Amino acid sequence: MTRPVFSLLLLGIVFASPLSLAEPLKGVDGQSVDIAAPKRVVAVNSSLVEILFRLGKGDAIVGTDVGGTWPPEQEKIAKVGHPYHPSIEGIISLKPDLVLATEENLTPATAGQLRSAGVPVLILENSAKDGIDGLKRRIDIIARLFNVQDAGKRVMQELDKQRADLATKIAALKKKPRILFLYAHGPGEAFVYGKETGVHVLIELAGGQNAADFTTGTKALTAEGMVQAFPDAILMLNRGLEAVGGVEGALKLPGVALTPAGKNKKILAVDNTIRWVGPRFPQFADTLFTAIHEQPSR
């Protein structure tokens, strides 16, 4: 083999090899990836999908779960199942060069199966951890992964401004109303969301007090618990409120009619993705602020 031919072959090998990051990125589970600017990403968790689109990298997503609603372009992306139980076979069939997920979406066993199949996996923090600060950390690591740090900084600066604007409005309040979130698939079963949830973050950003802060995570709704929470307003996902039959149906859930929220029929529908803290969260909080503070109570 002559030297020029060998050099060309070597050059071809270099171009065909995956590019490496300046330094590997370590996930919250301690496992690292070393892939600069992935081309085929399966993103599990709608907040990650929204971050990728906000950073201008939505076209790298080849698969996601069924929990997302934004942006509209995500509807055309292949789906790999439930956000908390994605299909391993479905993910592998898409031949991703990276699976990006938050820690509540992939169990260690599921991540291990994917890695055993040769699929790199980067696990980020729980999508509700530390609210906007945690969101900024996820944006930062994804921006570094795709080498778009400037775009990441712009998004984070925008979040800081929106949070500061909300804080200014909240500082003028004399009272924080008690807000409770109900998660329901239908009339027969519902759960309240306590601390360390995306909903808790939303309520506090909007200047409210989580009426279910007596618990952490989710808890089945009981009439006694609802009366104890004594909420001034109740939040439900758009699809959840529809599933129980609207406001009148929600009033029939255990204990709801006995609360100030029930008596005033102050039951508000919110975006279906609010359980995961994403880039649109300050907008959601601003809308909720108007709904709970500026509408007169009966």
Side-chain angles (χ1 to χ4, degrees), residues 102-119:
T102 54
E103 58 186 329
E104 71 262 44
N105 299 110
L106 290 187
T107 65
T110 301
Q113 286 179 283
L114 288 168
R115 287 170 177 141
S116 295
V119 180

PDB file of all heavy atoms in Angstrom, residues 102-119:
ATOM      1  N   THR A 102     -34.586  11.632  31.626  1.00  0.00           N
ATOM      2  CA  THR A 102     -34.430  12.040  33.013  1.00  0.00           C
ATOM      3  C   THR A 102     -34.593  10.818  33.900  1.00  0.00           C
ATOM      4  O   THR A 102     -35.149   9.799  33.487  1.00  0.00           O
ATOM      5  CB  THR A 102     -35.460  13.115  33.399  1.00  0.00           C
ATOM      6  OG1 THR A 102     -36.764  12.636  33.098  1.00  0.00           O
ATOM      7  CG2 THR A 102     -35.207  14.407  32.631  1.00  0.00           C
ATOM      8  N   GLU A 103     -34.124  10.926  35.153  1.00  0.00           N
ATOM      9  CA  GLU A 103     -34.008   9.733  35.982  1.00  0.00           C
ATOM     10  C   GLU A 103     -35.348   9.112  36.369  1.00  0.00           C
ATOM     11  O   GLU A 103     -35.398   7.944  36.749  1.00  0.00           O
ATOM     12  CB  GLU A 103     -33.190  10.026  37.236  1.00  0.00           C
ATOM     13  CG  GLU A 103     -33.743  11.144  38.112  1.00  0.00           C
ATOM     14  CD  GLU A 103     -32.800  11.464  39.261  1.00  0.00           C
ATOM     15  OE1 GLU A 103     -32.107  10.546  39.735  1.00  0.00           O
ATOM     16  OE2 GLU A 103     -32.742  12.632  39.678  1.00  0.00           O
ATOM     17  N   GLU A 104     -36.456   9.879  36.265  1.00  0.00           N
ATOM     18  CA  GLU A 104     -37.735   9.268  36.602  1.00  0.00           C
ATOM     19  C   GLU A 104     -38.293   8.430  35.461  1.00  0.00           C
ATOM     20  O   GLU A 104     -39.274   7.705  35.643  1.00  0.00           O
ATOM     21  CB  GLU A 104     -38.758  10.338  37.015  1.00  0.00           C
ATOM     22  CG  GLU A 104     -39.278  11.221  35.882  1.00  0.00           C
ATOM     23  CD  GLU A 104     -38.560  12.559  35.794  1.00  0.00           C
ATOM     24  OE1 GLU A 104     -37.309  12.550  35.896  1.00  0.00           O
ATOM     25  OE2 GLU A 104     -39.224  13.594  35.624  1.00  0.00           O
ATOM     26  N   ASN A 105     -37.679   8.532  34.273  1.00  0.00           N
ATOM     27  CA  ASN A 105     -38.247   7.855  33.111  1.00  0.00           C
ATOM     28  C   ASN A 105     -37.615   6.504  32.802  1.00  0.00           C
ATOM     29  O   ASN A 105     -38.271   5.630  32.238  1.00  0.00           O
ATOM     30  CB  ASN A 105     -38.139   8.745  31.871  1.00  0.00           C
ATOM     31  CG  ASN A 105     -38.887  10.041  32.037  1.00  0.00           C
ATOM     32  OD1 ASN A 105     -38.271  11.095  32.146  1.00  0.00           O
ATOM     33  ND2 ASN A 105     -40.203   9.988  32.113  1.00  0.00           N
ATOM     34  N   LEU A 106     -36.351   6.348  33.117  1.00  0.00           N
ATOM     35  CA  LEU A 106     -35.666   5.084  32.847  1.00  0.00           C
ATOM     36  C   LEU A 106     -35.146   4.515  34.160  1.00  0.00           C
ATOM     37  O   LEU A 106     -34.362   5.156  34.854  1.00  0.00           O
ATOM     38  CB  LEU A 106     -34.488   5.285  31.890  1.00  0.00           C
ATOM     39  CG  LEU A 106     -34.773   5.633  30.434  1.00  0.00           C
ATOM     40  CD1 LEU A 106     -33.468   5.609  29.633  1.00  0.00           C
ATOM     41  CD2 LEU A 106     -35.774   4.678  29.809  1.00  0.00           C
ATOM     42  N   THR A 107     -35.574   3.298  34.490  1.00  0.00           N
ATOM     43  CA  THR A 107     -35.017   2.651  35.669  1.00  0.00           C
ATOM     44  C   THR A 107     -33.578   2.248  35.374  1.00  0.00           C
ATOM     45  O   THR A 107     -33.179   2.131  34.204  1.00  0.00           O
ATOM     46  CB  THR A 107     -35.819   1.387  36.010  1.00  0.00           C
ATOM     47  OG1 THR A 107     -35.656   0.443  34.933  1.00  0.00           O
ATOM     48  CG2 THR A 107     -37.301   1.696  36.207  1.00  0.00           C
ATOM     49  N   PRO A 108     -32.763   2.022  36.419  1.00  0.00           N
ATOM     50  CA  PRO A 108     -31.391   1.556  36.170  1.00  0.00           C
ATOM     51  C   PRO A 108     -31.362   0.278  35.335  1.00  0.00           C
ATOM     52  O   PRO A 108     -30.480   0.101  34.495  1.00  0.00           O
ATOM     53  CB  PRO A 108     -30.851   1.327  37.585  1.00  0.00           C
ATOM     54  CG  PRO A 108     -31.616   2.301  38.438  1.00  0.00           C
ATOM     55  CD  PRO A 108     -33.001   2.308  37.850  1.00  0.00           C
ATOM     56  N   ALA A 109     -32.351  -0.605  35.552  1.00  0.00           N
ATOM     57  CA  ALA A 109     -32.387  -1.849  34.783  1.00  0.00           C
ATOM     58  C   ALA A 109     -32.639  -1.580  33.308  1.00  0.00           C
ATOM     59  O   ALA A 109     -32.004  -2.183  32.429  1.00  0.00           O
ATOM     60  CB  ALA A 109     -33.471  -2.767  35.346  1.00  0.00           C
ATOM     61  N   THR A 110     -33.566  -0.655  33.019  1.00  0.00           N
ATOM     62  CA  THR A 110     -33.865  -0.330  31.619  1.00  0.00           C
ATOM     63  C   THR A 110     -32.667   0.330  30.943  1.00  0.00           C
ATOM     64  O   THR A 110     -32.306  -0.013  29.812  1.00  0.00           O
ATOM     65  CB  THR A 110     -35.076   0.624  31.546  1.00  0.00           C
ATOM     66  OG1 THR A 110     -36.191  -0.006  32.162  1.00  0.00           O
ATOM     67  CG2 THR A 110     -35.416   0.955  30.099  1.00  0.00           C
ATOM     68  N   ALA A 111     -32.050   1.268  31.642  1.00  0.00           N
ATOM     69  CA  ALA A 111     -30.858   1.905  31.081  1.00  0.00           C
ATOM     70  C   ALA A 111     -29.758   0.877  30.847  1.00  0.00           C
ATOM     71  O   ALA A 111     -29.053   0.922  29.828  1.00  0.00           O
ATOM     72  CB  ALA A 111     -30.370   3.010  32.021  1.00  0.00           C
ATOM     73  N   GLY A 112     -29.632  -0.088  31.777  1.00  0.00           N
ATOM     74  CA  GLY A 112     -28.617  -1.125  31.633  1.00  0.00           C
ATOM     75  C   GLY A 112     -28.870  -2.008  30.421  1.00  0.00           C
ATOM     76  O   GLY A 112     -27.923  -2.397  29.715  1.00  0.00           O
ATOM     77  N   GLN A 113     -30.137  -2.322  30.163  1.00  0.00           N
ATOM     78  CA  GLN A 113     -30.474  -3.135  28.992  1.00  0.00           C
ATOM     79  C   GLN A 113     -30.104  -2.418  27.705  1.00  0.00           C
ATOM     80  O   GLN A 113     -29.582  -3.032  26.767  1.00  0.00           O
ATOM     81  CB  GLN A 113     -31.969  -3.465  29.007  1.00  0.00           C
ATOM     82  CG  GLN A 113     -32.356  -4.513  30.040  1.00  0.00           C
ATOM     83  CD  GLN A 113     -33.847  -4.787  30.021  1.00  0.00           C
ATOM     84  OE1 GLN A 113     -34.634  -4.008  30.534  1.00  0.00           O
ATOM     85  NE2 GLN A 113     -34.224  -5.896  29.425  1.00  0.00           N
ATOM     86  N   LEU A 114     -30.384  -1.124  27.655  1.00  0.00           N
ATOM     87  CA  LEU A 114     -30.048  -0.357  26.456  1.00  0.00           C
ATOM     88  C   LEU A 114     -28.532  -0.304  26.258  1.00  0.00           C
ATOM     89  O   LEU A 114     -28.029  -0.485  25.144  1.00  0.00           O
ATOM     90  CB  LEU A 114     -30.618   1.063  26.567  1.00  0.00           C
ATOM     91  CG  LEU A 114     -32.139   1.173  26.439  1.00  0.00           C
ATOM     92  CD1 LEU A 114     -32.621   2.561  26.859  1.00  0.00           C
ATOM     93  CD2 LEU A 114     -32.579   0.885  25.001  1.00  0.00           C
ATOM     94  N   ARG A 115     -27.810  -0.070  27.347  1.00  0.00           N
ATOM     95  CA  ARG A 115     -26.345  -0.014  27.226  1.00  0.00           C
ATOM     96  C   ARG A 115     -25.783  -1.366  26.814  1.00  0.00           C
ATOM     97  O   ARG A 115     -24.817  -1.444  26.033  1.00  0.00           O
ATOM     98  CB  ARG A 115     -25.746   0.459  28.550  1.00  0.00           C
ATOM     99  CG  ARG A 115     -25.984   1.953  28.802  1.00  0.00           C
ATOM    100  CD  ARG A 115     -25.615   2.365  30.203  1.00  0.00           C
ATOM    101  NE  ARG A 115     -25.781   3.799  30.403  1.00  0.00           N
ATOM    102  CZ  ARG A 115     -26.251   4.346  31.521  1.00  0.00           C
ATOM    103  NH1 ARG A 115     -26.590   3.566  32.559  1.00  0.00           N
ATOM    104  NH2 ARG A 115     -26.391   5.656  31.619  1.00  0.00           N
ATOM    105  N   SER A 116     -26.381  -2.440  27.326  1.00  0.00           N
ATOM    106  CA  SER A 116     -25.919  -3.775  26.941  1.00  0.00           C
ATOM    107  C   SER A 116     -26.120  -4.024  25.453  1.00  0.00           C
ATOM    108  O   SER A 116     -25.396  -4.820  24.839  1.00  0.00           O
ATOM    109  CB  SER A 116     -26.666  -4.842  27.750  1.00  0.00           C
ATOM    110  OG  SER A 116     -26.353  -4.727  29.117  1.00  0.00           O
ATOM    111  N   ALA A 117     -27.130  -3.335  24.884  1.00  0.00           N
ATOM    112  CA  ALA A 117     -27.394  -3.467  23.455  1.00  0.00           C
ATOM    113  C   ALA A 117     -26.529  -2.522  22.632  1.00  0.00           C
ATOM    114  O   ALA A 117     -26.702  -2.417  21.416  1.00  0.00           O
ATOM    115  CB  ALA A 117     -28.875  -3.212  23.179  1.00  0.00           C
ATOM    116  N   GLY A 118     -25.613  -1.818  23.290  1.00  0.00           N
ATOM    117  CA  GLY A 118     -24.711  -0.922  22.574  1.00  0.00           C
ATOM    118  C   GLY A 118     -25.240   0.475  22.355  1.00  0.00           C
ATOM    119  O   GLY A 118     -24.678   1.232  21.561  1.00  0.00           O
ATOM    120  N   VAL A 119     -26.326   0.832  23.050  1.00  0.00           N
ATOM    121  CA  VAL A 119     -26.918   2.166  22.879  1.00  0.00           C
ATOM    122  C   VAL A 119     -26.437   3.070  24.019  1.00  0.00           C
ATOM    123  O   VAL A 119     -26.738   2.795  25.187  1.00  0.00           O
ATOM    124  CB  VAL A 119     -28.458   2.099  22.892  1.00  0.00           C
ATOM    125  CG1 VAL A 119     -29.044   3.503  22.717  1.00  0.00           C
ATOM    126  CG2 VAL A 119     -28.961   1.168  21.811  1.00  0.00           C
TER     127      VAL A 119
END
